[in-house]
Amino acid sequence: MLNWGVIGPGGIANQFATALASSVQGKLYGVASRSLERAKAFSEQYRASVAYGDYESLIADPNIDVIYIATPHSQHFPLARACLKAGKHLLVEKPLTVNAQQTKELVSLSEQHQCVLQEAMWSRFMPCFEQLKEWIEEQQIGEIEYINSQIGFAFSHLKNHRMTDPALAGGALLDLGVYSVSLSQYLLAEYPSDIQATARLSKDGLDLNTAVNMTYPSGVISQFTCTMAAQCSNTMSIHGKKGYISIPAYFWTGGQAQLYQDDKLIRTLDFPHPVNGFEYQIESTMESILLNRSCDPRMNHADSINVMTTLDTIRQQIHLKYPEVIESLD
């Protein structure tokens, strides 16, 4: 049995804890928050053994084998670095860091300390996207020409929200657009060779609406829009010479896939999750620990680095900048 610790008991950590409760090989042991009261409430809700009012105590706890980091993006790098130096295995919410240099540093530390470092891009672990790869490899829709997706919600009016705060690496791209970037690279098994991006920024310099064209070495184009200023269809489609695949809203949850050949719907597959979809990445992380591998091949370190490199390029083109204190390696 592997003991898990959670850093950052916010909304997404509740989904994690709910999924972990169904596991037979892992359990929630400790919770850490900057608020001891909040940590205690979370630990009581999910029956954790200990609660800490600081992160350092949980990281130093010898009873904890693996840690899930669910804080805002801006804190991922320093917390993950501290965990790896303490010899803790990690599952870190997407995006893994704020920039590619930070991701490379964490990968190096994970190798140095022989710890699992797994990016929690939950969609990549879902049966739905494995099925999509099979259809693509089987040429069910012929040679791929382009991918189209959009993801977004009207968040921009909210006050005191992590997505509207530059100090927390807010904006639409890192929180939402990362899905389109990561899943395109996963389905195509290649990295973009040319990127063109445009955006409308808020008065605080965060991207409200971002539109991106990514061209791959094969010639495939993946187009996506991410926004925190508007409501979207939140769909994805993959288009080939013989047909297309449609993933309805909310595509990143991997609930359904529809296969079209020419204009005809050939097959619809539903993918109900045993719990809530988080269970796949949780089990994969524990499997990596038991098999002594550094990460899951479905979300490997090279992919994490290249996803961040793509996001860095987009950020540069749209002039999306964050405070130096969260961009640095210090």
Side-chain angles (χ1 to χ4, degrees), residues 157-217:
H157 66 286
L158 299 178
K159 305 298 182 183
N160 301 316
H161 192 281
R162 61 183 176 81
M163 287 189 67
T164 59
D165 189 345
L168 299 180
L173 180 65
L174 293 196
D175 200 87
L176 302 174
V178 63
Y179 283 109
S180 295
V181 171
S182 189
L183 288 174
S184 293
Q185 294 186 21
Y186 173 68
L187 293 172
L188 298 174
E190 56 180 345
Y191 308 131
S193 52
D194 182 68
I195 298 168
Q196 297 175 319
T198 186
R200 180 167 72 91
L201 303 183
S202 71
K203 59 181 177 58
D204 295 319
L206 296 177
D207 66 310
L208 294 171
N209 303 315
T210 297
V212 181
N213 290 335
M214 300 180 292
T215 303
Y216 291 80

Side-chain angles (χ1 to χ4, degrees), residues 8 24 26 29-30 64 89 94 108 116 144 197 206 213 234 239 276 285 322:
V24 297
Y29 181 86
I64 291 177
H89 300 295
K94 56 79 191 163
S108 178
V116 170
I144 304 301
L206 296 177
N213 290 335
N234 292 306
H239 301 259
N276 58 17
T285 302
Y322 297 121

Side-chain angles (χ1 to χ4, degrees), residues 2-317:
L2 293 170
N3 287 337
W4 282 82
V6 168
I7 293 180
I12 201 164
N14 283 275
Q15 292 178 266
F16 167 86
T18 298
L20 180 59
S22 69
S23 176
V24 297
Q25 62 178 339
K27 67 175 183 178
L28 183 59
Y29 181 86
V31 182
S33 172
R34 287 173 297 184
S35 163
L36 180 58
E37 182 179 349
R38 193 177 181 197
K40 285 182 176 179
F42 192 93
S43 65
E44 289 172 4
Q45 182 177 355
Y46 296 103
R47 301 180 180 179
S49 300
V50 294
Y52 293 110
D54 65 275
Y55 302 143
E56 294 77 13
S57 296
L58 182 140
I59 294 171
D61 191 330
N63 294 310
I64 291 177
D65 304 300
V66 51
I67 295 173
Y68 171 62
I69 296 178
T71 62
H73 321 320
S74 56
Q75 296 176 289
H76 288 182
F77 175 68
L79 287 171
R81 179 177 56 184
C83 291
L84 291 171
K85 287 183 176 180
K88 303 296 187 185
H89 300 295
L90 281 178
L91 176 63
V92 184
E93 258 312 316
K94 56 79 191 163
L96 196 58
T97 60
V98 173
N99 57 52
Q101 284 301 115
Q102 292 180 341
T103 296
K104 291 176 182 177
E105 176 68 14
L106 292 185
V107 169
S108 178
L109 283 171
S110 73
E111 294 170 352
Q112 178 183 340
H113 294 278
Q114 297 184 317
C115 292
V116 170
L117 171 65
Q118 186 64 67
E119 181 174 2
M121 173 51 73
W122 65 324
S123 309
R124 284 204 184 202
F125 301 89
M126 295 177 180
C128 176
F129 292 97
E130 290 185 16
Q131 180 64 67
L132 262 57
K133 281 185 76 74
E134 285 186 23
W135 281 344
I136 290 170
E137 290 166 1
E138 293 168 355
Q139 294 277 302
Q140 292 288 340
I141 59 172
E143 185 179 348
I144 304 301
E145 288 292 327
Y146 73 94
I147 297 174
N148 184 270
S149 61
Q150 58 173 271
I151 177 170
F153 305 90
F155 284 128
S156 58
H157 66 286
L158 299 178
K159 305 298 182 183
N160 301 316
H161 192 281
R162 61 183 176 81
M163 287 189 67
T164 59
D165 189 345
L168 299 180
L173 180 65
L174 293 196
D175 200 87
L176 302 174
V178 63
Y179 283 109
S180 295
V181 171
S182 189
L183 288 174
S184 293
Q185 294 186 21
Y186 173 68
L187 293 172
L188 298 174
E190 56 180 345
Y191 308 131
S193 52
D194 182 68
I195 298 168
Q196 297 175 319
T198 186
R200 180 167 72 91
L201 303 183
S202 71
K203 59 181 177 58
D204 295 319
L206 296 177
D207 66 310
L208 294 171
N209 303 315
T210 297
V212 181
N213 290 335
M214 300 180 292
T215 303
Y216 291 80
S218 62
V220 176
I221 295 174
S222 178
Q223 300 176 309
F224 76 89
T225 302
C226 59
T227 177
M228 63 175 187
Q231 296 298 131
C232 285
S233 68
N234 292 306
T235 58
M236 173 178 274
S237 54
I238 303 120
H239 301 259
K241 294 185 182 299
K242 297 194 312 183
Y244 65 95
I245 299 167
S246 175
I247 310 101
Y250 302 96
F251 72 82
W252 57 93
T253 65
Q256 187 184 90
Q258 297 174 324
L259 174 63
Y260 289 80
Q261 291 178 348
D262 295 322
D263 292 329
K264 296 180 181 179
L265 176 61
I266 302 299
R267 195 173 185 188
T268 297
L269 291 180
D270 293 308
F271 299 91
H273 302 312
V275 186
N276 58 17
F278 273 59
E279 57 270 27
Y280 308 112
Q281 60 185 354
I282 292 171
E283 295 301 325
S284 166
T285 302
M286 292 190 288
E287 183 179 86
S288 291
I289 294 171
L290 297 174
L291 294 178
N292 197 32
R293 68 187 185 194
S294 60
C295 57
D296 190 300
R298 289 170 292 185
M299 187 71 241
N300 59 63
H301 291 163
D303 280 5
S304 289
I305 291 170
N306 277 279
V307 166
M308 286 311 310
T309 300
T310 298
L311 295 173
D312 282 354
T313 301
I314 296 170
R315 284 181 53 204
Q316 184 178 25
Q317 291 187 14

